[in-house]
Amino acid sequence: MRAADADREAVAERLRAALNEGRLDLHEYDERLQRAYAARTYAELDTLLVDLPPVPPPSQPALRSASPTAQPSTGRLASFALGDTSRWLGEVWWPYLRVLAIVGTVWGVTSLLSWELLYFWPIWVAGPWGAVLLLRTVGGLAGGEPRRQAIERERKRVKRERKRELRANEPDNPPPAT
C-alpha cells in the first residue's frame, strides 16, 4: 500500500527519537531520514524501523523533560512543500534582487543628475544573471534541491543539538590526575 505524508513524518519523528536516544548515529539517521521521505510504500517505511523499538522506553520521557536542550524541534521537517521551497527560492533569488536594486538605483540617480533618461545598462546585469538563475531554479525544483537542503539543515541542527547536549553533560572540573 502507498504511504502518505503523515506516515513518512511519523517515521521521521521515530528516527529523530532514536537519534536522541543514541540508537542511531548522525550518518545512519541522515540516510534513513532521506529514505523515509523518499519512501512510497509502507514496506519501505517499515524497513527503516525494523531494528528499533516501537516506542521509547518508559524512563525516557522523564529524562527528556529534565533537559530542555534535548527536545527535538518538530516543526522544521513537518513538510517539504511550501516552506522549504520558498526558503530555497529566497536563497537563490535574493542576492540577484538586491544587486538589481543597487544597479537600478545607480542608473536612476545618474539619469536624474544628467537630466535625461540614460541608456538602461542594468539590463546587461539583469538579463544573463536572471537567465542563469531561471535555469538553476527549474533544475533545482525538478531535482528536489529544496528538500535536500532542508534535510541537510535538519541534519546540521541535530548535530549542533547533540554537541550542545554532550557539552552540557561534561563535568565542569575534571578530577585531578594522581
Side-chain angles (χ1 to χ4, degrees), residues 80-103:
F80 284 114
L82 187 59
D84 293 318
T85 301
S86 61
R87 181 176 180 166
W88 180 78
L89 287 171
E91 290 171 356
V92 169
W93 285 88
W94 185 243
Y96 173 76
L97 296 174
R98 285 193 338 232
V99 169
L100 282 188
I102 292 169
V103 296

Side-chain angles (χ1 to χ4, degrees), residues 7-68:
D7 302 318
R8 286 184 276 278
E9 184 58 35
V11 169
E13 285 296 324
R14 181 62 195 112
L15 292 173
R16 271 186 224 106
L19 175 70
N20 288 334
E21 294 165 1
R23 297 179 193 278
L24 296 176
D25 62 21
L26 283 174
H27 180 71
E28 188 175 13
Y29 165 75
D30 186 42
E31 286 177 3
R32 288 188 190 203
L33 189 64
Q34 288 180 16
R35 288 177 33 209
Y37 282 108
R40 293 184 180 150
T41 64
Y42 285 115
E44 292 174 48
L45 290 175
D46 289 341
T47 61
L48 300 173
L49 302 176
V50 75
D51 61 340
L52 298 174
V55 293
S59 62
Q60 285 298 95
L63 293 175
R64 288 280 172 237
S65 64
S67 172

Side-chain angles (χ1 to χ4, degrees), residues 88 136-146 148:
W88 180 78
R136 180 176 178 210
T137 300
V138 170
L141 290 174
E145 187 63 26
R148 269 195 297 281

Side-chain angles (χ1 to χ4, degrees), residues 35-164:
R35 288 177 33 209
Y37 282 108
R40 293 184 180 150
T41 64
Y42 285 115
E44 292 174 48
L45 290 175
D46 289 341
T47 61
L48 300 173
L49 302 176
V50 75
D51 61 340
L52 298 174
V55 293
S59 62
Q60 285 298 95
L63 293 175
R64 288 280 172 237
S65 64
S67 172
T69 59
Q71 300 274 341
S73 101
T74 56
R76 273 309 304 139
L77 284 179
S79 88
F80 284 114
L82 187 59
D84 293 318
T85 301
S86 61
R87 181 176 180 166
W88 180 78
L89 287 171
E91 290 171 356
V92 169
W93 285 88
W94 185 243
Y96 173 76
L97 296 174
R98 285 193 338 232
V99 169
L100 282 188
I102 292 169
V103 296
T105 302
V106 169
W107 173 81
V109 168
T110 56
S111 289
L112 281 174
L113 292 175
S114 68
W115 291 92
E116 64 181 87
L117 198 57
L118 298 176
Y119 172 73
F120 189 69
W121 57 265
I123 194 69
W124 294 106
V125 175
W129 190 5
V132 168
L133 283 180
L134 187 60
L135 291 174
R136 180 176 178 210
T137 300
V138 170
L141 290 174
E145 187 63 26
R147 181 174 159 220
R148 269 195 297 281
Q149 283 194 2
I151 289 171
E152 182 63 21
R153 274 193 303 273
E154 176 68 9
R155 188 187 67 74
K156 286 179 181 178
R157 185 198 62 77
V158 168
K159 188 175 181 179
R160 280 191 314 269
E161 188 175 283
R162 292 277 297 175
K163 282 183 181 178
R164 217 176 293 129

